[in-house]
Amino acid sequence: MNFETFNFHPSIMAGVRALGYSIPTPIQSQGIPPIMQGRDVIGLAQTGTGKTAAFALPILQRLQSDSRGHIRALVISPTRELAEQISEVFNDLGSRSGLRSVTIYGGVSMDQQIRNLRAHPEIVVACPGRLLDHLWKGTISLAELEVLVIDEADRMLDMGFLPDIRNILGCILHKHQTLLFSATMPDDIRRLAREILHDPVTVQIGRTLPAKTVSHFLYPVQQHLKTNLLKAILNKTETDSVLVFTRTKHRAERVAQQLVRDGYRVTSLQGNLSQNQRQAALTGFRNGSIKILVATDIAARGIDVLSISHVINYDMPESTDDYIHRIGRTGRVDKNGDALTFVTNDDADKIRALEQLLNAPLERLTLKGFDYNKPAPEREPRFSQQPRRRFVQRQVIGRQMAM
Ligand code: AMP
């Protein structure tokens, strides 16, 4: 199958070609036809599968005809970065269509957004909180909305946005098409889907498993040696762009500072940054001037950088869903990527859950020449006050499968 099959308008095909897409990804080949028929669709696909274009292309096709100058498509996204990226996809694919899109999210001036809305865009990509502010202020009207997309619905749930989503849905009472995308289907999302979608078509790309182009490795290590191990791996490994995940904002900041001190081109992406700082970090990472980004789960949501070669989980993710989301940043469409996860003795249950999901034991690696027995510094209260457990380390040279 190729993109000609969909009979898109020439202006949209120009966008497809400009982005260099030649073959539709599975979510595109299966999702685009029912969306073009006007059906409600549940898209079960993780980040990196091409799901944004899977909804953006048929929406652009629909908006190409009929009236202009009012909001006809709304995409709700959990984070500002993802909103910007979705908007970019609409702008790139629709650059010749004359259709306009604006982004709406918190943390930036409301007045500028009101001015943007007065230019009468056809497409709005919004985060739930600020969108509600505009709806309640009367500065946005969804009276003529035709298509609603709820993207990364499971993440919206995790971030506590479900009540906001329900309030937004309460403002769109007329008939419209609804598309709901989610990497996983927790009960609350299944319930929401049952309530708001009419006779939906479900398009599921595999199970919600990480992309096949990703190799997974575990690095058992004591907590206090993680930064040293990270530096040693970065020194010894040929990498392109590296995304490092930590559990907390504070740790993301600290790890980035430690790497900066060692001369790495690195920055952190975490909730303490202003919108401008976040944008600068992402732009630097995208254009390659920053090689390493240290981020928390929420801050990294939706990062779309094609050349991420390695995702390093400095801290084991809380859940298998988070693991899928994190490593969805590497191994994107036909690219290979490595997912390295630092694990401590406390992570045994999480490793088991992950191995169950992947249906295979994960490879445990040790880094040759790395001093795994270095004691924790005495003056570091967090570690020195903890009773030390003996760390069982399989000393293997190179790669070896776990028993
Ligand atoms: P997404 O899952 O929407 O975040 O997309 C992941 C990446 O795949 C983005 O960088 C897209 O530009 C890229 N992509 C989407 N569709 C295609 C396609 N048909 N061929 C090649 N790359 C694509």
Side-chain angles (χ1 to χ4, degrees), residues 311-366:
V311 167
I312 302 183
N313 294 315
Y314 184 98
D315 295 312
M316 179 90 189
E318 283 299 325
S319 67
T320 48
D321 283 359
D322 282 340
Y323 186 86
I324 292 168
H325 283 300
R326 285 183 181 186
I327 66 143
R329 315 279 166 256
T330 188
R332 297 198 150 202
V333 189
D334 289 342
K335 296 210 173 212
N336 291 321
D338 283 346
L340 281 52
T341 304
F342 293 177
V343 291
T344 67
N345 281 349
D346 295 337
D347 295 322
D349 289 346
K350 292 180 188 135
I351 297 172
R352 231 184 333 272
L354 189 55
E355 289 180 326
Q356 248 164 26
L357 174 85
L358 297 171
N359 204 17
L362 284 165
E363 211 172 336
R364 270 78 164 164
L365 300 184
T366 51

Side-chain angles (χ1 to χ4, degrees), residues 3 19-25 27-28 46-54 82 85 89 302-306 332-334:
F3 279 98
L19 286 191
Y21 300 172
S22 49
I23 300 166
T25 65
I27 186 75
Q28 291 163 2
Q46 62 200 74
T47 309
T49 52
K51 69 181 166 65
T52 315
L82 184 62
Q85 280 167 26
V89 172
I303 289 178
D304 184 10
V305 178
L306 270 180
R332 297 198 150 202
V333 189
D334 289 342

